[in-house]
Amino acid sequence: MYQTLVRASSLFSLFILISACNVRWVSEYDAQIDQGITQLHREMETFLTALEQQQVPECLSTEHGLFYQQSLVDVRALKVRAKAIPNNDITLQQLNLLEENLSLMLTLHQTQDRSNSCMAPGMITFNRSNFESIFIAILKFELAKKRQVK
């Protein structure tokens, strides 16, 4: 009888101990990633809006090299930050996708340059929609982390 009581107490104590542990499967909210992504979205929208209104030669990728360079630097800086935060694999995957799509858009833009033409309106619309989806996914995840902290 005594052993049964000891076992039950031990199991109950173990259950209380385990339930008191705060296991984190994802990282906490990071305001700098939130702000960085919001700023990148604003810059991307400004860039795409400008492309819609430009003609050759202003619309060529050679005229927008600084945008691509700065955007890639910003994404890579956010990736370094995300790597430094434990349990931040999902955000890091999202940032990798953002970097990959930015590189693909640059390649597409350079392809248009070879024919000495601006990016077609349909391509601009596609890129806008694509990047909005990525930005929204990253922001939703960060905001969900923020709600989790409270």
Side-chain angles (χ1 to χ4, degrees):
M1 171 90 175
Y2 177 72
Q3 287 180 340
T4 305
L5 186 59
V6 170
R7 283 185 187 159
S9 293
S10 296
L11 284 174
F12 182 71
S13 297
L14 183 62
F15 175 74
I16 295 296
L17 182 65
I18 290 173
S19 64
C21 294
N22 188 4
V23 177
R24 291 230 173 246
W25 297 107
V26 296
S27 65
E28 292 185 12
Y29 168 76
D30 187 338
Q32 288 187 359
I33 289 179
D34 183 351
Q35 292 165 0
I37 289 300
T38 300
Q39 183 61 34
L40 271 169
H41 175 251
R42 183 166 295 149
E43 291 166 3
M44 177 63 72
E45 187 57 40
T46 300
F47 170 70
L48 293 172
T49 300
L51 272 184
E52 288 175 323
Q53 300 167 4
Q54 293 176 340
Q55 302 296 320
V56 174
E58 296 88 23
C59 68
L60 301 177
S61 70
T62 52
E63 298 295 316
H64 298 284
L66 186 60
F67 165 77
Y68 286 110
Q69 181 182 16
Q70 189 59 52
S71 296
L72 286 168
V73 166
D74 291 345
V75 171
R76 290 172 182 154
L78 289 173
K79 282 176 56 178
V80 168
R81 182 171 182 82
K83 285 179 186 177
I85 301 171
N87 300 324
N88 211 14
D89 295 339
I90 295 171
T91 300
L92 186 56
Q93 290 172 4
Q94 291 173 321
L95 291 169
N96 284 333
L97 181 63
L98 178 58
E99 180 182 16
E100 182 181 325
N101 277 269
L102 189 57
S103 295
L104 287 171
M105 187 171 74
L106 172 58
T107 301
L108 173 67
H109 204 163
Q110 290 168 336
T111 301
Q112 290 299 122
D113 288 1
R114 287 188 211 116
S115 63
N116 201 35
S117 63
C118 295
M119 195 180 293
M123 286 189 225
I124 293 172
T125 301
F126 172 79
N127 280 303
R128 178 176 281 121
S129 175
N130 183 41
F131 282 100
E132 279 180 4
S133 296
I134 296 168
F135 291 130
I136 288 170
I138 295 170
L139 288 171
K140 277 187 175 183
F141 191 58
E142 281 305 311
L143 294 174
K145 292 180 202 177
K146 187 176 186 178
R147 286 189 304 272
Q148 187 71 23
V149 172
K150 291 182 179 182

